[in-house]
Amino acid sequence: MPASARLMTPDGGNGEVLRASLAYMVAGLLSVLLMGLLGLLMRVDQAGMLVISPVWFYRVMTLHGSGMIASVLLAAIGGIAAAVSSTTRLSARALWIALVIYLMGNGFVVLATLVGGFAGGWTVLYPLPEHGLIWSLGSALAMYAGYLFVALGLLLFCVHLLIALARSHGGLTKALAWRYLFSFGRDTRDALPRPVELIAAVIAIDGIAAATAGAIYLVPLFAQATHLVTSVDALFAKNFVLLFGHTMGNLSIYVTAGLVYAALPAYTKRAWPMTWPVAAAWNLIIPLMLLNYSHHLYADFAQPLTLQLLGEIGSYAVALPSFIVTIIGALALMYRSGMRWGSASIFFALGLWGWVFGGMGALLDSTIPVNQVMHNTLWVAAHFHTYFVLGALAFALAYLTYVVEMLSPLAARRGSDAAAWLYGVGGAGFVLVFFISGANSIPRRFAVHLPQWQPYARIAVAFVVLIALSLAWISWDLGTRMRSAWRATQLPSGES
Amino acid sequence: MSPHVVFVTLIVLGAVWTACWAFVLVRSRYPLPFEQLERSETTIRLVLLGGLAIVSIVLFAVTIRWLPFPNTRIARVGAPQIVVRAVGMQWSWEISRRELPAGIPIAFAVGSRDVNHDFAIYDPGGRLLAQVQAMPGYTNHLVYVFPRAGEYTVRCLEYCGLGHHTMSVRIIVSDR
């Protein structure tokens, strides 16, 4: 079978879906590069090496945060669409429409921050967007509009994905393997979904929940901005914006974990079939992913105690199925497999390391007494940058590399493996400096760092440069092979 | 809880994880039929599941006593003897009393006049000791006992706009 055909449906009809998926991945990863440069600019400023004004720092910070979350998720969902498309009939038109809406949202965010001067942070924490003192209400509304479009694009994608999976398996419960799950693996009358299909269904459900939370958050804010209501409860707003934003961030890592199930077996030459632990773990993720956002509200003492404790319990609980099933499963797949090493498998391995190490930082921080001395220091930035740089982004790069390898006849450049390892070294150093900074109580989101804090940022800059160099090489390598990969998606099944 | 203890914990856990990860990567080059490994994988999973579940439950139970919320703090350190009103606003703090004694429970009643802020107490060495959100429409109570005399700094740790990084104030703590 030719390489390109393995990614296609039996009737060869998903070439258009693959093209749309590639567009998601490429647009997402290109945007990640730009957002990463903004991140570098922020660290250079905090290091005192190139001082930008606080006005611009906070604009850049707002764009970097919101843009990075949206970009990584975009690349991730593009990957998952490609991964399920070999067995699930997706509509290329629906994917393109969702992409356009999603990118329109990103466009509004760019306009709001760079042109409108909005600098309210990615959390757009009410009432700051309407009380920024230096930006107009119009720019805040543009930011809200951006989030609304992103939420709508995500909603459309997730609804379409969920319907397609349900149709493909004869019902949603079958796509979620419930009969198999609740019979403890004894009832196998239904054809079981592949792990990546089950994961796609799980993230589609949580994606719909996150997008709905975003809409619930934005509606009263629009109403307040247009004087339809006088005020919005600050605690309500905080809960919903974090349910939206935190779940968006979480989705990135879980979606890309699905890509590990889809592509890692190609390198280990071992199958990763649906098993009862996989079904149980991923069905558990559905409620648990929606609970753990509240660990960001421990310092809000007005939050009901039940929700506070649920935040800690949910944070511990969500780690167990992910670690026991996905991480251990991936390591078992790799162990003594005679693994085929290349840049894709290196990125997969780095992603596993980063997911666990970032998870450790997150778990410590989700312990309420620890959070008392870590919340809103750079420790918080450390844990989610570890998830993103060395977790979700590494997995997304791995999967894109895998797809390009499958579709393009051109081989990877010689230096790409070294570039992938360099990415790991740069990423690990970069996040470690964040963790050390957090342990030294350095606040996050400060445009100006005290002289005693600046050395940490200087060290971080060096590691970010390593990341930038490695990504430049990887982008060049993938970019030169992308054209032939794109052309291969136009081939009917059976031709190479 | 000291942030440095937390960091050392992370490094120890991270080193163990990195060693296991590196071991798997190195051994991935030497193939063995998967059937010979499946039973070990299941055993490892069950042991880890049991171990981590027990650790999580114990950690949760132990930390309940150290919750920062007012009732738990009062149960541990006693009822507050002084109440200090602290109001955050873009970009300064209005604090009813800035000279305070060490060694006795103090309740900071923290609110906000405009947007969300975070009332975070730093010790003279620059270490974060305790914090609570300052929210519009709410008053949060942070009960705290200053361990020793010195010049403490209150910083805002919730991003609140252009002057966020400038929003700090000194508190002088003296021995009784």
Side-chain angles (χ1 to χ4, degrees):
Chain A
M1 188 165 57
S4 56
R6 288 181 57 186
L7 287 162
M8 293 186 177
T9 51
D11 62 359
N14 78 343
E16 289 183 12
V17 170
L18 264 185
R19 274 197 294 284
S21 307
L22 272 176
Y24 275 65
M25 286 189 272
V26 171
L29 291 172
L30 282 177
S31 181
V32 161
L33 296 180
L34 293 175
M35 296 304 123
L37 288 176
L38 295 182
L40 173 61
L41 182 63
M42 288 163 63
R43 289 306 262 164
V44 166
D45 172 81
Q46 289 173 334
M49 296 159 75
L50 172 72
V51 178
I52 56 175
S53 71
V55 172
W56 270 99
F57 178 90
Y58 290 125
R59 283 184 188 184
V60 166
M61 180 190 81
T62 302
L63 181 55
H64 169 76
S66 51
M68 198 57 105
I69 290 174
S71 306
V72 176
L73 185 57
L74 183 63
I77 61 177
I80 212 77
V84 300
S85 68
S86 60
T87 49
T88 304
R89 183 176 292 279
L90 296 174
S91 156
R93 181 181 293 179
L95 293 183
W96 281 111
I97 292 171
L99 178 62
V100 168
I101 295 173
Y102 198 95
L103 291 178
M104 277 172 62
N106 290 356
F108 271 112
V109 170
V110 171
L111 283 177
T113 49
L114 297 186
V115 180
F118 182 78
W122 79 263
T123 49
V124 292
L125 194 56
Y126 176 83
L128 180 59
E130 294 161 33
H131 210 283
L133 304 183
I134 58 159
W135 60 83
S136 67
L137 181 61
S139 67
L141 287 173
M143 192 74 181
Y144 292 164
Y147 277 27
L148 190 61
F149 277 102
V150 167
L152 284 175
L154 178 66
L155 186 65
L156 178 58
F157 177 89
C158 290
V159 168
H160 173 61
L161 181 63
L162 202 57
I163 291 172
L165 287 163
R167 277 191 183 145
S168 164
H169 290 278
L172 181 58
T173 57
K174 290 177 181 171
L176 292 167
W178 276 12
R179 185 179 284 179
Y180 175 69
L181 173 66
F182 293 116
S183 67
F184 295 97
R186 285 190 290 270
D187 190 339
T188 52
R189 276 176 293 168
D190 295 335
L192 291 175
R194 291 185 294 143
V196 68
E197 292 170 324
L198 169 65
I199 294 164
V202 167
I203 61 99
I205 291 170
D206 279 347
I208 291 167
T212 307
I216 291 173
Y217 176 64
L218 289 170
V219 167
L221 263 57
F222 275 119
Q224 205 270 337
T226 50
H227 305 295
L228 289 173
V229 296
T230 50
S231 67
V232 179
D233 183 85
L235 189 58
F236 159 86
K238 197 177 279 191
N239 271 282
F240 273 87
V241 77
L242 280 165
L243 179 57
F244 170 54
H246 189 266
T247 308
M248 288 264 293
N250 263 222
L251 276 175
S252 298
I253 188 74
Y254 288 106
V255 176
T256 52
L259 304 179
V260 183
Y261 283 85
L264 187 61
Y267 298 92
T268 61
K269 298 179 278 291
R270 286 174 176 166
W272 197 343
M274 172 63 71
T275 58
W276 190 85
V278 171
W282 282 94
N283 273 282
L284 269 174
I285 296 289
I286 298 173
L288 293 177
M289 200 199 303
L290 300 173
L291 282 180
N292 59 4
Y293 82 90
S294 64
H295 62 221
H296 283 270
L297 278 86
Y298 291 155
D300 297 85
F301 290 2
Q303 177 88 333
L305 181 64
T306 313
L307 279 177
Q308 302 280 29
L309 297 179
L310 213 54
E312 184 166 325
I313 294 167
S315 303
Y316 290 171
V318 79
L320 286 177
S322 307
F323 183 70
I324 300 295
V325 175
T326 302
I327 298 290
I328 297 298
L331 292 180
L333 211 66
M334 293 163 70
Y335 182 70
R336 302 210 63 175
S337 63
M339 186 148 167
R340 180 162 63 89
W341 283 100
S343 51
S345 40
I346 293 168
F347 277 125
F348 275 130
L350 291 174
L352 293 174
W353 185 87
W355 191 9
V356 174
F357 192 67
M360 287 171 175
L363 273 178
L364 288 168
D365 191 35
S366 69
T367 306
I368 299 174
V370 173
N371 184 271
Q372 248 307 277
V373 294
M374 291 302 191
H375 183 60
N376 276 343
T377 68
L378 284 175
W379 189 277
V380 182
H383 92 254
F384 66 71
H385 277 85
T386 313
Y387 273 151
F388 266 58
V389 176
L390 284 172
L393 191 52
F395 287 151
L397 282 166
Y399 191 74
L400 181 62
T401 308
Y402 161 74
V403 171
V404 170
E405 275 177 15
M406 298 293 285
L407 293 172
S408 170
L410 300 176
R413 289 176 194 283
R414 283 174 61 89
S416 291
D417 292 4
W421 283 119
L422 185 67
Y423 179 84
V425 172
F430 167 61
V431 297
L432 202 58
V433 174
F434 263 149
F435 278 117
I436 294 169
S437 304
N440 284 293
S441 302
I442 300 175
R444 69 193 284 217
R445 296 177 175 150
F446 265 35
V448 180
H449 273 200
L450 298 175
Q452 63 267 33
W453 298 341
Q454 290 180 351
Y456 300 105
R458 284 189 203 123
I459 297 168
V461 165
F463 285 112
V464 180
V465 169
L466 291 185
I467 297 174
L469 288 174
S470 65
L471 283 180
W473 183 276
I474 294 289
S475 303
W476 180 49
D477 180 24
L478 288 177
T480 52
R481 292 190 285 156
M482 189 60 72
R483 181 179 288 183
S484 54
W486 184 268
R487 276 201 302 266
T489 61
Q490 296 170 331
L491 295 175
S493 180
E495 292 178 31
S496 57
Chain B
M1 178 66 70
S2 160
H4 289 121
V5 172
V6 180
F7 179 70
V8 170
T9 308
L10 175 73
I11 292 303
V12 170
L13 292 173
V16 172
W17 159 238
T18 305
C20 296
W21 174 83
F23 174 73
V24 169
L25 262 56
V26 170
R27 301 289 285 173
S28 73
R29 294 182 183 279
Y30 310 103
L32 197 71
F34 191 52
E35 296 72 36
Q36 294 182 31
L37 304 168
E38 268 180 316
R39 187 173 290 177
S40 309
E41 185 197 354
T42 306
T43 308
I44 289 169
R45 273 192 172 143
L46 289 173
V47 168
L48 280 173
L49 179 63
L52 291 175
I54 290 168
V55 168
S56 302
I57 292 166
V58 169
L59 192 60
F60 179 74
V62 168
T63 55
I64 288 288
R65 179 177 151 71
W66 300 95
L67 293 180
F69 310 125
N71 289 342
T72 335
R73 276 260 169 92
I74 288 170
R76 212 171 60 245
V77 301
Q81 295 175 31
I82 297 171
V83 176
V84 178
R85 174 83 186 151
V87 179
M89 66 203 79
Q90 289 169 312
W91 291 281
S92 63
W93 291 103
E94 192 177 273
I95 297 181
S96 63
R97 183 173 164 182
R98 288 171 53 188
E99 292 185 3
L100 296 166
I104 64 168
I106 296 167
F108 290 95
V110 181
S112 168
R113 196 165 290 167
D114 38 47
V115 301
N116 287 280
H117 302 279
D118 187 288
F119 181 88
I121 302 170
Y122 277 72
D123 75 6
R127 192 176 60 145
L128 176 57
L129 299 173
Q131 61 179 308
V132 67
Q133 286 273 308
M135 304 163 65
Y138 289 88
T139 299
N140 289 324
H141 290 86
L142 175 68
V143 177
Y144 190 70
V145 180
F146 286 99
R148 61 188 68 85
E151 195 172 284
Y152 291 71
T153 305
V154 172
R155 289 197 174 90
C156 177
L157 287 194
E158 185 64 59
Y159 175 61
C160 57
L162 181 64
H164 168 56
H165 57 280
T166 64
M167 194 172 155
S168 66
V169 67
R170 295 290 162 93
I171 289 179
I172 309 299
V173 174
S174 51
D175 292 321
R176 276 182 292 176

PDB file of all heavy atoms in Angstrom, chain A residues 416-431:
ATOM      1  N   SER A 416      17.770  16.993  11.174  1.00  0.00           N
ATOM      2  CA  SER A 416      16.475  17.167  11.833  1.00  0.00           C
ATOM      3  C   SER A 416      16.383  16.431  13.171  1.00  0.00           C
ATOM      4  O   SER A 416      15.761  16.921  14.112  1.00  0.00           O
ATOM      5  CB  SER A 416      15.351  16.699  10.907  1.00  0.00           C
ATOM      6  OG  SER A 416      15.256  17.605   9.834  1.00  0.00           O
ATOM      7  N   ASP A 417      17.006  15.263  13.254  1.00  0.00           N
ATOM      8  CA  ASP A 417      16.982  14.537  14.532  1.00  0.00           C
ATOM      9  C   ASP A 417      17.696  15.350  15.611  1.00  0.00           C
ATOM     10  O   ASP A 417      17.207  15.490  16.742  1.00  0.00           O
ATOM     11  CB  ASP A 417      17.673  13.177  14.393  1.00  0.00           C
ATOM     12  CG  ASP A 417      16.883  12.236  13.492  1.00  0.00           C
ATOM     13  OD1 ASP A 417      15.851  12.682  12.938  1.00  0.00           O
ATOM     14  OD2 ASP A 417      17.305  11.081  13.339  1.00  0.00           O
ATOM     15  N   ALA A 418      18.851  15.893  15.244  1.00  0.00           N
ATOM     16  CA  ALA A 418      19.602  16.714  16.207  1.00  0.00           C
ATOM     17  C   ALA A 418      18.796  17.951  16.589  1.00  0.00           C
ATOM     18  O   ALA A 418      18.780  18.366  17.757  1.00  0.00           O
ATOM     19  CB  ALA A 418      20.948  17.121  15.602  1.00  0.00           C
ATOM     20  N   ALA A 419      18.097  18.526  15.596  1.00  0.00           N
ATOM     21  CA  ALA A 419      17.274  19.712  15.883  1.00  0.00           C
ATOM     22  C   ALA A 419      16.158  19.373  16.865  1.00  0.00           C
ATOM     23  O   ALA A 419      15.830  20.161  17.753  1.00  0.00           O
ATOM     24  CB  ALA A 419      16.687  20.270  14.580  1.00  0.00           C
ATOM     25  N   ALA A 420      15.598  18.171  16.716  1.00  0.00           N
ATOM     26  CA  ALA A 420      14.530  17.762  17.636  1.00  0.00           C
ATOM     27  C   ALA A 420      15.074  17.617  19.055  1.00  0.00           C
ATOM     28  O   ALA A 420      14.443  18.056  20.025  1.00  0.00           O
ATOM     29  CB  ALA A 420      13.911  16.450  17.161  1.00  0.00           C
ATOM     30  N   TRP A 421      16.249  17.002  19.205  1.00  0.00           N
ATOM     31  CA  TRP A 421      16.851  16.894  20.549  1.00  0.00           C
ATOM     32  C   TRP A 421      17.196  18.270  21.102  1.00  0.00           C
ATOM     33  O   TRP A 421      17.042  18.529  22.308  1.00  0.00           O
ATOM     34  CB  TRP A 421      18.099  16.006  20.519  1.00  0.00           C
ATOM     35  CG  TRP A 421      17.803  14.542  20.451  1.00  0.00           C
ATOM     36  CD1 TRP A 421      18.155  13.664  19.469  1.00  0.00           C
ATOM     37  CD2 TRP A 421      17.068  13.759  21.413  1.00  0.00           C
ATOM     38  NE1 TRP A 421      17.681  12.403  19.750  1.00  0.00           N
ATOM     39  CE2 TRP A 421      17.015  12.421  20.943  1.00  0.00           C
ATOM     40  CE3 TRP A 421      16.440  14.061  22.624  1.00  0.00           C
ATOM     41  CZ2 TRP A 421      16.380  11.397  21.630  1.00  0.00           C
ATOM     42  CZ3 TRP A 421      15.795  13.035  23.319  1.00  0.00           C
ATOM     43  CH2 TRP A 421      15.771  11.726  22.824  1.00  0.00           C
ATOM     44  N   LEU A 422      17.673  19.156  20.204  1.00  0.00           N
ATOM     45  CA  LEU A 422      18.002  20.523  20.644  1.00  0.00           C
ATOM     46  C   LEU A 422      16.753  21.216  21.186  1.00  0.00           C
ATOM     47  O   LEU A 422      16.807  21.954  22.170  1.00  0.00           O
ATOM     48  CB  LEU A 422      18.573  21.320  19.461  1.00  0.00           C
ATOM     49  CG  LEU A 422      19.078  22.726  19.784  1.00  0.00           C
ATOM     50  CD1 LEU A 422      20.299  22.662  20.689  1.00  0.00           C
ATOM     51  CD2 LEU A 422      19.429  23.494  18.504  1.00  0.00           C
ATOM     52  N   TYR A 423      15.616  20.941  20.525  1.00  0.00           N
ATOM     53  CA  TYR A 423      14.336  21.482  21.001  1.00  0.00           C
ATOM     54  C   TYR A 423      14.079  21.016  22.435  1.00  0.00           C
ATOM     55  O   TYR A 423      13.640  21.799  23.296  1.00  0.00           O
ATOM     56  CB  TYR A 423      13.220  21.001  20.065  1.00  0.00           C
ATOM     57  CG  TYR A 423      11.835  21.464  20.442  1.00  0.00           C
ATOM     58  CD1 TYR A 423      11.365  22.707  20.043  1.00  0.00           C
ATOM     59  CD2 TYR A 423      10.986  20.656  21.201  1.00  0.00           C
ATOM     60  CE1 TYR A 423      10.088  23.130  20.385  1.00  0.00           C
ATOM     61  CE2 TYR A 423       9.715  21.062  21.546  1.00  0.00           C
ATOM     62  CZ  TYR A 423       9.268  22.303  21.136  1.00  0.00           C
ATOM     63  OH  TYR A 423       8.004  22.723  21.478  1.00  0.00           O
ATOM     64  N   GLY A 424      14.371  19.758  22.683  1.00  0.00           N
ATOM     65  CA  GLY A 424      14.173  19.217  24.027  1.00  0.00           C
ATOM     66  C   GLY A 424      15.074  19.889  25.046  1.00  0.00           C
ATOM     67  O   GLY A 424      14.632  20.256  26.146  1.00  0.00           O
ATOM     68  N   VAL A 425      16.345  20.078  24.689  1.00  0.00           N
ATOM     69  CA  VAL A 425      17.288  20.715  25.613  1.00  0.00           C
ATOM     70  C   VAL A 425      16.848  22.158  25.884  1.00  0.00           C
ATOM     71  O   VAL A 425      16.790  22.611  27.042  1.00  0.00           O
ATOM     72  CB  VAL A 425      18.723  20.684  25.029  1.00  0.00           C
ATOM     73  CG1 VAL A 425      19.683  21.516  25.870  1.00  0.00           C
ATOM     74  CG2 VAL A 425      19.212  19.239  24.923  1.00  0.00           C
ATOM     75  N   GLY A 426      16.535  22.885  24.799  1.00  0.00           N
ATOM     76  CA  GLY A 426      16.106  24.276  24.956  1.00  0.00           C
ATOM     77  C   GLY A 426      14.832  24.373  25.775  1.00  0.00           C
ATOM     78  O   GLY A 426      14.723  25.196  26.688  1.00  0.00           O
ATOM     79  N   GLY A 427      13.878  23.481  25.472  1.00  0.00           N
ATOM     80  CA  GLY A 427      12.598  23.507  26.182  1.00  0.00           C
ATOM     81  C   GLY A 427      12.764  23.192  27.659  1.00  0.00           C
ATOM     82  O   GLY A 427      12.190  23.865  28.520  1.00  0.00           O
ATOM     83  N   ALA A 428      13.570  22.161  27.959  1.00  0.00           N
ATOM     84  CA  ALA A 428      13.757  21.768  29.360  1.00  0.00           C
ATOM     85  C   ALA A 428      14.429  22.891  30.149  1.00  0.00           C
ATOM     86  O   ALA A 428      14.024  23.213  31.279  1.00  0.00           O
ATOM     87  CB  ALA A 428      14.581  20.489  29.434  1.00  0.00           C
ATOM     88  N   GLY A 429      15.464  23.488  29.553  1.00  0.00           N
ATOM     89  CA  GLY A 429      16.146  24.590  30.246  1.00  0.00           C
ATOM     90  C   GLY A 429      15.215  25.771  30.454  1.00  0.00           C
ATOM     91  O   GLY A 429      15.168  26.357  31.543  1.00  0.00           O
ATOM     92  N   PHE A 430      14.458  26.073  29.419  1.00  0.00           N
ATOM     93  CA  PHE A 430      13.527  27.207  29.470  1.00  0.00           C
ATOM     94  C   PHE A 430      12.498  27.042  30.604  1.00  0.00           C
ATOM     95  O   PHE A 430      12.284  27.951  31.405  1.00  0.00           O
ATOM     96  CB  PHE A 430      12.831  27.311  28.105  1.00  0.00           C
ATOM     97  CG  PHE A 430      11.633  28.199  28.047  1.00  0.00           C
ATOM     98  CD1 PHE A 430      11.730  29.560  28.322  1.00  0.00           C
ATOM     99  CD2 PHE A 430      10.385  27.689  27.707  1.00  0.00           C
ATOM    100  CE1 PHE A 430      10.606  30.377  28.260  1.00  0.00           C
ATOM    101  CE2 PHE A 430       9.263  28.493  27.641  1.00  0.00           C
ATOM    102  CZ  PHE A 430       9.374  29.846  27.925  1.00  0.00           C
ATOM    103  N   VAL A 431      11.893  25.868  30.685  1.00  0.00           N
ATOM    104  CA  VAL A 431      10.847  25.692  31.713  1.00  0.00           C
ATOM    105  C   VAL A 431      11.458  25.536  33.106  1.00  0.00           C
ATOM    106  O   VAL A 431      10.863  25.956  34.100  1.00  0.00           O
ATOM    107  CB  VAL A 431       9.908  24.508  31.390  1.00  0.00           C
ATOM    108  CG1 VAL A 431       9.163  24.757  30.091  1.00  0.00           C
ATOM    109  CG2 VAL A 431      10.641  23.182  31.341  1.00  0.00           C
TER     110      VAL A 431
END
